[in-house]
Amino acid sequence: MDIRIGDVLAMKKPHPCGSREWTVTRVGMDFKMVCKGCGHEVMLPRSKAEKNIKTVVRDGEKVI
């Protein structure tokens, strides 16, 4: 899956703050993401993150 820094990921399950959208700030074996709702930062293994992605928004257009 082609995920780049700056992409907005809509996940299947919401964060406890209620937001489903995350901004990608680091890509590699792990993804570092920032919640668009509350600003919480998390690092997830690539396999777990890719399994939970619903859509990817890049430069204002839906990719997946």
Side-chain angles (χ1 to χ4, degrees):
M1 188 175 286
D2 183 32
I3 304 296
R4 301 177 190 163
I5 294 175
D7 287 354
V8 176
L9 306 178
M11 305 303 266
K12 291 179 182 175
K13 293 184 180 179
H15 188 246
C17 74
S19 175
R20 291 180 186 264
E21 295 186 340
W22 296 79
T23 303
V24 178
T25 57
R26 181 181 180 276
V27 177
M29 286 298 293
D30 299 320
F31 285 159
K32 185 173 185 181
M33 304 183 298
V34 178
C35 178
K36 302 249 323 176
C38 64
H40 184 78
E41 294 183 12
V42 297
M43 286 191 73
L44 290 175
R46 178 181 280 269
S47 59
K48 186 171 183 178
E50 287 181 348
K51 183 175 78 172
N52 292 318
I53 294 172
K54 188 171 182 181
T55 60
V56 178
V57 178
R58 182 177 299 142
D59 298 329
E61 60 184 65
K62 191 186 261 187
V63 176
I64 295 175

